[in-house]
Amino acid sequence: MILGLDTFGDVPVDDAGQPISQAAAIRQVVAEAVLADQLGVDAIALGEHHRPEYSISTPETVLAGIAGVTERIRLGSGVTVLSSDDPVRVFQRFATVDALSNGRAEVILGRGSFTESFPLFGYDMADYARLFEEKLDLFVKLLDEKPVTWSGRTRAALTDADVYPKTESGRLATWVGVGGSPESVVRAARHGLPLMLAIIGGPAARFAPYIDLYRRAADQLGTVAHPVGMHSPGFVADTDDEAKELYYPAYKIQRDRIGALRGWPPLTRAEFDHEVEDGSLYVGASETVARKMAAAIRTLGVGRFDLIYTAGAQSVSARTRAVELFGAKVAPMVRELL
């Protein structure tokens, strides 16, 4: 069982409630990764965003920095927006992180929760589906680390092109992040890649059909159905009440900001409390979070759980304490419960 942490690179606040700089926010993520590594957390994933409330636009650059100051923790993205990037460059950058970390790099490829990267890098949203489909197809060919011949409509063709650096293991660990589209689940199965489910609302059990679909599709397509991973938001503090009071204000701001773009109504405290109690918010004291995580893992039969431990402008001290509690108490308790 892999138990990890996931951050979008949210810009936190200091003890006076003032936002720190984006540069300081990046350094804070590195410090949290070092702490997680020291406490035995299995993995950390960094999101890619191109918005003012987030500090990390190139996860692999930050992961390279983390690689030099950690020993064992897996280093991944969550997710790399492949649609608006170049598959060759993504492979090269993560192969470089893999070298710097002695084989600990992994890339989680996805279409992303936001679309700012498309106009930023000159891509047409009308090509949204084709961009990911074609680029994933190319990326999978690159994973064999042999000369590649490929053609499509979204980038220049390649003819017997060899890509460097090679990884020492011969294959870069690669996942596909999926938010709930059956087509995306089948695509991951078709390429024989592990599936990472983003479960951010409602009971975890409602995603069981997607895992079943992934396994059935892999069987029918003759590919490998790898252990499925999931990531969900949450926060750990010393008591249940403290966790909820620390987490809710910043989470509501973030949730309402996204909701305004997507036509969602503002989040109410009652809805928040319901998600904490019965949905996919893992917020509370160590034992509370551990028991809920273990229950979700059992229900879905997943092989990995990453807790998205940041959501909005929480304080640096509260975030640090959340990482400390997750590594020292939550993860060991989940293993014991399982």
Side-chain angles (χ1 to χ4, degrees), residues 1-282:
M1 171 56 59
I2 300 170
L3 300 175
L5 290 168
D6 192 329
T7 177
F8 295 160
D10 312 71
V11 176
V13 296
D14 59 23
D15 289 339
Q18 296 301 309
I20 66 175
S21 68
Q22 289 190 326
I26 292 171
R27 293 191 292 269
Q28 178 60 28
V29 169
V30 175
E32 290 161 359
V34 170
L35 177 59
D37 181 60
Q38 293 169 345
L39 293 168
V41 176
D42 294 323
I44 188 163
L46 313 183
E48 173 193 339
H49 295 93
H50 305 271
R51 297 169 59 87
E53 64 266 34
Y54 301 114
S55 61
I56 298 173
S57 59
T58 57
E60 57 271 43
T61 309
V62 184
L63 293 171
I66 294 171
V69 289
T70 55
E71 296 292 335
R72 56 171 301 280
I73 195 167
R74 300 186 189 198
L75 307 174
S77 57
V79 300
T80 291
V81 185
L82 186 63
S83 306
S84 56
D85 211 328
D86 182 80
V88 174
R89 294 297 283 151
V90 171
F91 177 87
Q92 290 176 322
R93 295 194 299 259
F94 275 90
T96 301
V97 175
D98 200 61
L100 293 169
S101 64
N102 291 306
R104 290 182 283 137
E106 52 187 14
V107 56
I108 304 177
L109 304 170
R111 292 188 284 187
S113 299
F114 300 100
T115 58
E116 287 83 3
S117 63
F118 289 81
L120 185 63
F121 300 120
Y123 291 98
D124 189 341
M125 284 297 297
D127 296 327
Y128 185 80
R130 178 182 292 113
L131 282 164
F132 188 72
E133 182 72 45
E134 285 197 0
K135 291 187 177 187
L136 182 62
D137 179 65
L138 173 54
F139 196 90
V140 170
K141 288 180 171 58
L142 295 168
L143 291 175
D144 291 332
E145 302 193 14
K146 298 176 181 178
V148 170
T149 296
W150 178 93
S151 63
R153 296 173 58 184
T154 56
R155 79 173 308 281
L158 298 174
T159 302
D160 204 29
D162 223 349
V163 175
Y164 305 99
K166 310 292 186 183
T167 64
E168 288 181 324
S169 69
R171 193 167 184 88
L172 178 67
T174 303
W175 300 66
V176 174
V178 174
S181 161
E183 294 80 10
S184 296
V185 172
V186 173
R187 183 187 297 115
R190 184 170 70 249
H191 289 296
L193 295 174
L195 180 70
M196 178 67 75
L197 286 171
I199 304 178
I200 59 173
R206 72 189 182 96
F207 277 78
Y210 293 100
I211 297 176
D212 180 61
L213 173 63
Y214 173 69
R215 292 170 178 158
R216 286 189 290 109
D219 182 62
Q220 293 172 12
L221 294 164
T223 58
V224 176
H226 300 271
V228 174
M230 63 178 286
H231 72 174
S232 292
F235 200 72
V236 194
D238 290 298
T239 68
D240 287 349
D241 287 343
E242 181 186 19
K244 286 187 280 190
E245 295 312 311
L246 285 171
Y247 189 76
Y248 175 70
Y251 177 75
K252 175 176 169 56
I253 291 171
Q254 182 198 61
R255 166 65 167 71
D256 288 352
R257 182 185 294 123
I258 297 170
L261 298 173
R262 301 180 183 178
W264 303 342
L267 178 71
T268 68
R269 182 57 190 255
E271 291 169 333
F272 171 79
D273 289 338
H274 178 72
E275 276 294 321
V276 171
E277 187 68 27
D278 299 311
S280 290
L281 281 180
Y282 296 75

